[in-house]
Amino acid sequence: MSTWHPEPQPGWTGPRISRRGLLGAAAAGALSTALSGCGLRTGSSPDTLNVLSLGDPFFYAVQSLLPEFEAQTGIKVSLEGPDYDTLNARATNSFLTGQTDIDVISPDSMWLSRFAENEWLLDLTDLVRRDAAEVDVADFVPSTLYSLSEWRGGLYTLPVAAYTSAVLYRPSVFAALGLQPPPSVPDAGWTWDEYLRCVRAIDGTDVAGTRMHGTVVCGSGPQPVTHMYSQVAASKGARWFRRFPADTPWDFTPQFAGEQSVASLQFWKDLFACSPPEAINYLWFDAGTAFGAGNVGIFYHWTAYAYLVQRTEYMGEVESAVVDDYALGVLPVQPGQQQVGNIGGYAFGIGARSEKQEQAWTFIKWATSKETQRKMALLPMRQFADFARSSLYDDDELVAAYPYLPAQLAAMQQGDGKQVRPPVQNYTTLETQIGRELNRMLGSDVPARETADAIQRAAEQIMTDEQFVPFSGSSYADTQQAMQDRLVALSA
């Protein structure tokens, strides 16, 4: 199918990840689990649409509404939600071996370039153009489509759950200590230095009989610690590569040892020093649970935690200690640097070898529609507000249910997931090394400069071995403005 390019564009002529590299990116341990524990289908059922997703909150909301979809369309759906590494392994092996068992998949946004370059996903552009009125692509927050769905001008997925980074804090703690609370709209005075000052002012104090930690971080690698640290680094001006993806020609020379990276690593060490010691092993939800326990003053995280911190367990029913005492603010800024917020999340795409592509497209339109997303948010569990559609942020009933939505939208509009965590094809390999070094820095108190140099050496070796440096392939000026211009054409 054609892409949005107004003129023919050259295809990818640079390095392609080898079969061995692709399997390595899917993680050997998860691969073993996928092959032995879950098993790979050898084909798809003729009367069932197979949807492979992740067990994030949107999964449970979609699952709850599936009977409604099946009744409306007559399409039977098998919805699976494996863990992160197993999802990657299952998908990689299915696509590599040419199977037809995946009709719809929600890849992590950081896998999109690999999936698209290997032609594992269908380019949805023509389908979006054909069903423009129904899809209403102009309603999506541009940063979400850019970060989650677009690659080299093609639109390979539609967002079902979009996350950005924001600050969560305890108003009662700030009031008790006389601290100015974080703003809910971008503010030049709300800096990372001010954020750290608040963290240190809270850490070790006694508030209403509770001994407080200033903050909490995710220390476990490779993904959680890399996701969380990368936001600080991007805000402070650190970059992974010399030029990619918006600037051309692409140059993947690693940039992890610069002074901005060293400063970001030191800042990360300072945050860890004011966190619970157990944070060295914290995954994403562990950090959210720690905040929900009531002894953490402030932290930043994915915006999904703006509702997840209300429960003591993941998607549980028991209310946490902070359910009535927390608020959401925007990220701090770094003076002299343009703010850039992380955008992550999941979006549904169609397996290129699926034999049920029209049914798959019907499912994607339904799951990502304004109407379905609204129903997902208003389910009794009230555990979904990860909207990619602008109109949902203006819905009075949704704002009443999730009062922080205006602040979440402000953060989303500052987002650029491709700048915070550049979606190079071998992202997972790089992330593994970065996460390992970040965890080692926190656990063994390695100096920031030593950590920066170690990441730089590893990245140089990886990018050279996999033929990204020097880069001889075609480049593409991948900017948000270029994507928005194409969306206007698609919506016409």
Side-chain angles (χ1 to χ4, degrees):
M1 301 181 71
S2 63
T3 66
W4 292 330
H5 302 304
E7 299 176 356
Q9 296 287 321
W12 176 265
T13 59
R16 285 190 181 272
I17 308 301
S18 65
R19 177 183 174 90
R20 179 179 180 181
L22 285 166
L23 293 177
L31 174 59
S32 174
T33 300
L35 292 175
S36 62
C38 299
L40 285 171
R41 298 187 185 95
T42 57
S44 56
S45 172
D47 60 349
T48 301
L49 191 70
N50 295 314
V51 180
L52 191 61
S53 184
L54 186 81
D56 267 26
F58 74 88
F59 172 89
Y60 300 97
V62 170
Q63 187 179 55
S64 295
L65 295 176
L66 270 184
E68 178 180 302
F69 171 78
E70 293 178 339
Q72 289 176 353
T73 65
I75 300 172
K76 184 178 179 182
V77 176
S78 172
L79 177 65
E80 290 187 77
D83 63 74
Y84 184 89
D85 288 329
T86 302
L87 175 63
N88 194 4
R90 281 278 300 277
T92 298
N93 278 273
S94 176
F95 291 137
L96 274 176
T97 55
Q99 297 188 58
T100 61
D101 62 307
I102 296 177
D103 299 311
V104 177
I105 186 169
S106 62
D108 185 355
S109 58
M110 306 316 297
W111 309 339
L112 184 63
S113 64
R114 174 163 55 94
F115 282 31
E117 293 291 351
N118 285 284
E119 300 179 348
W120 293 346
L121 294 177
L122 190 70
D123 186 344
L124 304 179
T125 304
D126 284 353
L127 292 172
V128 170
R129 182 183 293 112
R130 186 192 75 186
D131 300 338
E134 188 178 359
V135 175
D136 191 13
V137 72
D139 187 38
F140 286 99
V141 179
S143 61
T144 66
L145 281 176
Y146 175 72
S147 300
L148 305 183
S149 300
E150 182 269 344
W151 177 250
R152 283 184 171 269
L155 189 68
Y156 290 90
T157 60
L158 289 181
V160 65
Y163 317 140
T164 189
S165 296
V167 169
L168 279 77
Y169 67 97
R170 300 281 308 287
S172 65
V173 172
F174 273 68
L177 299 178
L179 298 173
Q180 183 71 24
S184 59
V185 295
D187 187 333
W190 176 231
T191 66
W192 284 105
D193 285 346
E194 179 63 17
Y195 180 90
L196 183 58
R197 187 185 74 80
C198 292
V199 167
R200 286 173 167 165
I202 296 168
D203 194 54
T205 61
D206 191 277
V207 177
T210 298
R211 190 73 168 176
M212 300 296 299
H213 293 289
T215 192
V216 60
V217 301
C218 296
S220 182
Q223 299 100 1
V225 67
T226 304
H227 288 192
M228 205 171 189
Y229 164 74
S230 292
Q231 179 59 77
V232 164
S235 286
K236 287 180 171 289
R239 297 294 179 261
W240 287 33
F241 306 118
R242 186 172 290 165
R243 286 190 302 272
F244 176 76
D247 299 323
T248 57
W250 287 350
D251 184 341
F252 293 98
T253 303
Q255 304 290 294
F256 292 99
E259 292 307 313
Q260 290 163 325
S261 292
V262 174
S264 301
L265 289 164
Q266 183 57 56
F267 189 90
W268 186 248
K269 285 170 63 73
D270 293 340
L271 292 183
F272 177 70
C274 298
S275 300
E278 301 83 12
I280 188 64
N281 295 316
Y282 277 0
L283 301 172
W284 297 279
F285 189 68
D286 297 322
T289 301
F291 179 81
N295 64 343
V296 171
I298 183 173
F299 82 136
Y300 74 92
H301 208 354
W302 292 117
T303 44
Y305 287 87
Y307 56 81
L308 289 174
V309 298
Q310 296 179 0
R311 303 291 185 268
T312 59
E313 295 179 319
Y314 184 66
M315 303 302 292
E317 297 181 359
V318 179
E319 292 184 341
S320 73
V322 305
V323 66
D324 294 319
D325 183 26
Y326 77 96
L328 187 145
V330 295
L331 284 172
V333 298
Q334 181 70 22
Q337 297 291 338
Q338 183 176 357
Q339 178 64 294
V340 54
N342 204 356
I343 298 278
Y346 293 88
F348 282 130
I350 300 174
R353 294 181 63 87
S354 167
E355 298 170 343
K356 290 168 282 197
Q357 294 182 357
E358 278 295 337
Q359 296 96 317
W361 179 233
T362 298
F363 173 83
I364 290 174
K365 288 187 294 182
W366 169 80
T368 63
S369 69
K370 175 182 176 180
E371 294 74 20
T372 300
Q373 292 266 302
R374 190 176 190 276
K375 290 178 181 179
M376 289 165 61
L378 295 176
L379 288 168
M381 56 186 174
R382 294 291 194 273
Q383 292 281 279
F384 175 80
D386 307 310
F387 308 129
R389 289 187 175 274
S390 300
S391 58
L392 294 174
Y393 289 93
D394 294 327
D395 187 301
D396 291 341
E397 188 174 3
L398 293 178
V399 174
Y402 305 94
Y404 50 80
L405 284 181
Q408 179 170 307
L409 179 60
M412 192 79 72
Q413 291 171 332
Q414 287 188 317
D416 184 340
K418 291 179 179 176
Q419 191 172 158
V420 179
R421 294 180 297 137
V424 65
Q425 279 183 269
N426 62 350
Y427 170 85
T428 303
T429 304
L430 288 168
E431 179 182 65
T432 298
Q433 187 63 43
I434 295 167
R436 180 181 298 122
E437 294 297 337
L438 289 171
N439 181 266
R440 187 171 75 91
M441 179 183 73
L442 300 182
S444 302
D445 196 25
V446 178
R449 165 55 68 185
E450 182 178 329
T451 299
D453 290 342
I455 294 174
Q456 178 70 15
R457 288 192 300 271
E460 288 176 351
Q461 189 68 54
I462 291 167
M463 299 310 283
T464 300
D465 288 349
E466 299 187 356
Q467 300 178 20
F468 284 89
V469 175
F471 183 67
S472 59
S474 63
S475 301
Y476 174 77
D478 195 359
T479 66
Q480 290 206 44
Q481 185 58 53
M483 188 214 66
Q484 290 183 52
D485 291 344
R486 295 188 185 100
L487 290 181
V488 171
L490 272 179
S491 302

